[in-house]
Amino acid sequence: MWEILYKMCKEVYPGLQEDDHVNFVKLSFAMMEYNSIEFYCLPQDMSFGSRELLISVGWLMLTSNVLEISTNRKLRESPMNMEFDVEGYQQSRDVPSQPVFKAGSLECTLNSILWIAGKIRHNVNSITETCQARVKFATKVHESTINCCGLPHLSVSETKLVRYPELLPVYLDRISEYVVLMDTHKQWLKKCHVFWEWMETVVAEKESDPHQNHLSVHEKRTLFHALDTLRHIAKACMLWCQRARSCNSMSDKDTDRSVSSPLHDLPLQPLRGLPRCILQAKGGHTEMGQLLTESELQLQDVRDMYRIKKAAVFEQLHQLARQTENVVLFPRLLK
């Protein structure tokens, strides 16, 4: 029962930090304002409390519609919902080794940064062009399969199955578990009234328990321990959220929301750490070009500064040489 609750809570709060299964479930229910004291008194070793767990399962299913959410998520990730058959084209390729830049002068470091930035810009532009070509070819497939097989149009993977029927057994084997999932969900929708009628008897049995509102000393200790643990976990989550919010605000300053690029429609969560110059597509006056121009100007300023310092050092050496004309060992050429 704890495992079932853990999986259901992961569907509701997928990004919540984990401590262990019991504390994770209790924290999730506390965030959903579940007010059963007996539930939070359940021990960490999962030794008893089946009735409370069963009631909490019914409460979670009733308030958050977690089964529907989980089923829809699974079906969205299934091959039936894929436009392209990704698994059929994945090939293991050796990643070429990247050159290692050793620490050197400031000029060498700036040159290596400019080289890496140029390579990233080239890769992002290639990805953009590939995405555009992919959309173009998918549109052609959709237009050529309008009203085919009783559907508005076929996807690229479905068109591939029509073109190569020998691949159909492999495809059916891949989607078999999702077909079972849909059949099971249909059966649940037909028989769920039996579960809720049974849950009414479970709740009535709990309400008729004479020891319902009386906590033992052990249960009180368990409750206080659970509250302390939840308090620490909540503080850690609040601190993590504050850090994430500050990082997001900093990245939002670096990322212009008006960027006209196919990449800006992607979710920002995995792209938060990337600067805008990497996410931006090619163009005449992009921030990548501005970055390269500013880097070149900084490099030129560094070169001018070193040139001035070099001239000043030689001037000081000449002055020292003129002051030490009687020293025999001093090189005459330097004087």
Side-chain angles (χ1 to χ4, degrees):
M1 295 293 291
W2 280 109
E3 291 294 329
I4 292 174
L5 280 174
Y6 171 75
K7 293 179 180 179
M8 295 171 74
C9 290
K10 286 293 290 183
E11 294 291 337
V12 181
Y13 296 108
L16 190 62
Q17 292 181 340
E18 298 185 31
D19 183 14
D20 57 75
H21 285 14
V22 176
N23 288 331
F24 179 83
V25 171
K26 289 183 178 180
L27 178 61
S28 301
F29 272 81
M31 295 174 63
M32 290 182 286
E33 301 180 358
Y34 185 58
N35 56 4
S36 175
I37 300 298
E38 292 82 1
F39 173 77
Y40 299 103
C41 293
L42 296 180
Q44 295 288 120
D45 57 359
M46 311 179 187
S47 57
F48 62 89
S50 300
R51 185 174 66 185
E52 286 299 326
L53 294 176
L54 181 60
I55 294 175
S56 62
V57 168
W59 182 86
L60 182 60
M61 292 169 55
L62 187 63
T63 56
S64 63
N65 199 19
V66 64
L67 292 183
E68 197 76 26
I69 295 174
S70 178
T71 304
N72 292 335
R73 182 186 61 82
K74 281 281 189 180
L75 294 178
R76 283 196 303 269
E77 297 173 356
S78 67
M80 295 181 292
N81 199 40
M82 292 182 180
E83 179 68 33
F84 298 91
D85 187 9
V86 182
E87 291 188 3
Y89 296 99
Q90 286 181 345
Q91 298 179 356
S92 58
R93 297 180 179 179
D94 297 333
V95 179
S97 59
Q98 301 295 331
V100 179
F101 296 98
K102 298 181 179 180
S105 62
L106 179 60
E107 182 177 356
C108 295
T109 304
L110 288 176
N111 287 332
S112 62
I113 292 174
L114 292 176
W115 183 85
I116 295 174
K119 191 167 185 179
I120 292 175
R121 179 176 57 180
H122 171 73
N123 292 339
V124 171
N125 292 338
S126 300
I127 293 173
T128 304
E129 294 175 355
T130 304
C131 291
Q132 292 175 353
R134 184 177 180 177
V135 171
K136 181 180 178 181
F137 291 136
T139 304
K140 287 185 177 181
V141 172
H142 295 169
E143 292 176 352
S144 60
T145 57
I146 294 177
N147 297 327
C148 181
C149 302
L151 298 173
H153 63 79
L154 297 181
S155 65
V156 176
S157 57
E158 292 169 345
T159 307
K160 179 182 177 182
L161 293 175
V162 175
R163 178 66 178 81
Y164 303 100
E166 62 272 12
L167 300 177
L168 192 58
V170 179
Y171 178 78
L172 293 177
D173 184 62
R174 288 173 54 193
I175 66 172
S176 59
E177 63 172 308
Y178 301 100
V179 175
V180 173
L181 175 63
M182 289 189 291
D183 292 338
T184 306
H185 190 63
K186 282 184 178 180
Q187 293 296 324
W188 160 254
L189 294 178
K190 292 180 181 178
K191 303 296 181 72
C192 64
H193 64 91
V194 180
F195 173 79
W196 295 118
E197 291 173 0
W198 175 47
M199 286 301 301
E200 290 179 0
T201 62
V202 175
V203 174
E205 181 69 21
K206 178 185 176 180
E207 292 176 349
S208 62
D209 190 354
H211 302 288
Q212 177 185 357
N213 297 323
H214 300 283
L215 299 178
S216 63
V217 176
H218 179 69
E219 289 177 337
K220 289 181 179 179
R221 290 177 180 175
T222 305
L223 177 61
F224 293 153
H225 177 71
L227 291 176
D228 289 337
T229 304
L230 294 178
R231 188 179 297 111
H232 289 301
I233 296 176
K235 287 182 179 179
C237 291
M238 291 175 62
L239 181 61
W240 180 82
C241 291
Q242 290 176 358
R243 292 177 178 175
R245 192 179 296 111
S246 62
C247 293
N248 291 343
S249 61
M250 293 175 60
S251 60
D252 288 339
K253 292 180 182 179
D254 297 333
T255 306
D256 190 0
R257 295 186 179 273
S258 62
V259 180
S260 57
S261 168
L263 294 179
H264 83 283
D265 293 331
L266 297 175
L268 284 179
Q269 193 63 26
L271 304 176
R272 284 293 186 188
L274 296 178
R276 179 188 170 210
C277 61
I278 295 178
L279 298 178
Q280 193 164 10
K282 61 182 180 180
H285 301 284
T286 61
E287 188 170 346
M288 176 64 76
Q290 296 178 3
L291 176 63
L292 294 176
T293 304
E294 293 176 359
S295 300
E296 291 175 357
L297 293 176
Q298 293 178 1
L299 181 59
Q300 186 62 34
D301 293 340
V302 171
R303 288 174 177 172
D304 295 339
M305 181 180 64
Y306 278 122
R307 191 178 300 109
I308 295 173
K309 287 185 177 181
K310 182 179 179 181
V313 170
F314 273 105
E315 182 63 28
Q316 292 179 2
L317 288 177
H318 283 293
Q319 292 178 2
L320 290 175
R322 287 193 292 269
Q323 293 175 4
T324 56
E325 292 179 352
N326 296 327
V327 179
V328 181
L329 297 178
F330 204 88
R332 184 172 302 274
L333 179 60
L334 185 59
K335 293 196 292 184

